[in-house]
Amino acid sequence: MEILRSSSIFIILLVFVPALIQTKADSVYCSNPRSRCYGKYIECPYECPSTSYGNYKAKVCHVNCDSPVCKSYCKHRKPDCNGPGSACYDPRFIGGDGIVFYFHGKSNEHFSLVSDTNLQINGRFIGHRPAGRTRDFTWIQALGILFNSHSFSLEAIKAATWNDEVDHLKFSYNGEDLIVPEGALSSWYSPEKDVKVERVANKNSVIVTLKDSAEIMVNVVPVTKEDDKIHNYKVPSDDCFAHLEVQFRFFALSPKVDGVLGRTYQPDFQNPAKPGVAMPVVGGEDKYKTTQLLSANCLTCLYSPENSSNQEMTSVTEYLPLDCTSGASAGYGIVCKK
């Protein structure tokens, strides 16, 4: 009888302990009225119960409030170069439609990656042209963002040789240099709290969050000797071509969004990249070229500071009634601790 009673208690504990773990998980409130999951509290899985961890190598809870299923999942907090919205390598993009394409651009010029009425994201391309080649090898060296009538930039600092112990990231906000202290999970907020920069490793990896608009995961990496050998880049000895690996997640794009990457999020977009080709290259340099990193003067640019300001005022009005304001949400919603 005593053995049966002990076994029953043990079974109850086995069932009850996971439930206890589950109740300690964060919940994310989807606060954007334009998202599919608006108004829902979505609980994190017990395998990754928090949206942030002291251990930057651990997986964290993510909630995509614009997903039809409205569920949470676990993921690492660095760019997935094989996932939608990514821009890596020389440069290889994966569009919102999941199709891989290459856009080479030109060295030392700027191109509109995403352009919407209230959001502009440009990329500065750096490159190298060995003797005998007809075009540059290029990489994305910097991002310039116009959002809510403000400007933000991040760039990979040029280096002759790569050193993992050196931070190669440089930031600016509204034209002023910005310091984000080194160290995993150190962060910076804009005065209006609509831009957040969080380090997800001690150096060279950050997540930039634009409130209710976008999340941008960024790594700084060099062109390695292995890359050089495989692709025959013939990089010079005085430049390792430090560049960005990026993955974007968007939450409020309009159907008319444009840009090298942005247009792939249009509902009726037909990707010109040829299927079955090893390196499907798309053109359009003339359409997407901007004069500066922080300008929106390309032929297809849609961004307008006036529209951005109006959008900002609307968002403030829509979010006034919300109570659960503690914590960071990476653009998905508001994190609520239980």
Side-chain angles (χ1 to χ4, degrees):
M1 188 70 177
E2 192 66 35
I3 293 174
L4 288 173
R5 185 181 295 113
S6 299
S7 299
S8 299
I9 293 171
F10 181 67
I11 292 170
I12 291 171
L13 283 173
L14 283 177
V15 173
F16 188 61
V17 168
L20 285 176
I21 296 173
Q22 192 85 15
T23 59
K24 294 181 181 179
D26 290 352
S27 286
V28 177
Y29 177 76
C30 291
S31 54
N32 188 341
R34 291 163 292 182
S35 68
R36 298 182 186 183
C37 306
Y38 172 58
K40 293 185 178 182
Y41 286 90
I42 300 174
E43 192 168 276
C44 295
Y46 71 85
E47 296 92 347
C48 56
S50 176
T51 56
S52 62
Y53 277 117
N55 178 6
Y56 64 86
K57 295 182 179 180
K59 289 186 177 182
V60 296
C61 169
H62 271 247
V63 175
N64 183 353
C65 286
D66 202 40
S67 167
V69 295
C70 299
K71 289 184 178 180
S72 58
Y73 59 97
C74 303
K75 75 181 296 291
H76 291 293
R77 308 185 73 202
K78 290 190 176 183
D80 176 6
C81 288
N82 293 312
S86 60
C88 303
Y89 315 129
D90 55 346
R92 188 192 76 168
F93 293 83
I94 301 182
D97 54 6
I99 295 177
V100 176
F101 65 95
Y102 289 78
F103 176 84
H104 295 307
K106 294 181 180 178
S107 179
N108 301 316
E109 293 189 359
H110 309 92
F111 297 92
S112 169
L113 302 183
V114 179
S115 187
D116 211 345
T117 54
N118 61 344
L119 175 66
Q120 179 76 31
I121 302 176
N122 296 333
R124 177 192 294 138
F125 286 42
I126 56 171
H128 166 63
R129 183 181 300 190
R133 280 191 59 85
T134 57
R135 69 161 185 88
D136 301 329
F137 288 117
T138 53
W139 299 270
I140 298 175
Q141 180 264 339
L143 296 178
I145 301 170
L146 302 174
F147 172 74
N148 281 359
S149 299
H150 299 291
S151 66
F152 174 83
S153 71
L154 64 86
E155 60 184 274
I157 300 172
K158 182 177 180 178
T161 57
W162 182 259
N163 184 347
D164 283 327
E165 298 305 313
V166 175
D167 187 49
H168 297 267
L169 275 168
K170 181 181 179 181
F171 309 92
S172 77
Y173 181 71
N174 288 344
E176 300 291 332
D177 286 346
L178 166 66
I179 302 299
V180 181
E182 292 183 18
L185 303 184
S186 69
S187 58
W188 171 90
Y189 286 90
S190 65
E192 292 83 4
K193 304 292 184 182
D194 55 353
V195 181
K196 177 186 178 183
V197 183
E198 180 184 9
R199 289 190 184 269
V200 292
N202 292 326
K203 300 173 177 68
N204 298 314
S205 294
V206 296
I207 294 179
V208 179
T209 303
L210 310 177
K211 183 181 177 183
D212 302 325
S213 290
E215 174 192 79
I216 309 169
M217 292 180 280
V218 181
N219 273 345
V220 183
V221 294
V223 173
T224 65
K225 291 182 179 179
E226 183 180 4
D227 293 334
D228 192 17
K229 183 177 180 180
I230 292 173
H231 300 285
N232 199 27
Y233 291 140
K234 298 181 180 179
V235 296
S237 59
D238 62 347
D239 194 344
C240 68
F241 288 96
H243 61 280
L244 306 180
E245 293 179 338
V246 185
Q247 187 177 22
F248 300 93
R249 302 171 68 86
F250 300 107
F251 313 115
L253 295 176
S254 77
K256 295 182 179 180
V257 61
D258 215 313
V260 174
L261 178 65
R263 62 180 179 160
T264 66
Y265 289 84
Q266 296 172 4
D268 56 351
F269 178 68
Q270 298 293 319
N271 203 312
K274 295 179 181 179
V277 177
M279 289 185 63
V281 178
V282 300
E285 285 88 349
D286 293 342
K287 293 193 298 183
Y288 302 118
K289 182 180 176 180
T290 65
T291 55
Q292 297 178 10
L293 182 64
L294 293 168
S295 64
N297 56 1
C298 70
L299 296 177
T300 59
C301 286
L302 303 175
Y303 177 78
S304 166
E306 292 77 17
N307 288 334
S308 185
S309 297
N310 292 337
Q311 181 68 38
E312 181 182 9
M313 292 174 65
T314 302
S315 297
V316 169
T317 303
E318 289 168 344
Y319 286 82
L320 281 175
L322 299 177
D323 297 322
C324 192
T325 56
S326 64
S329 62
Y332 296 109
I334 297 175
V335 177
C336 305
K337 304 284 185 179
K338 288 192 174 182

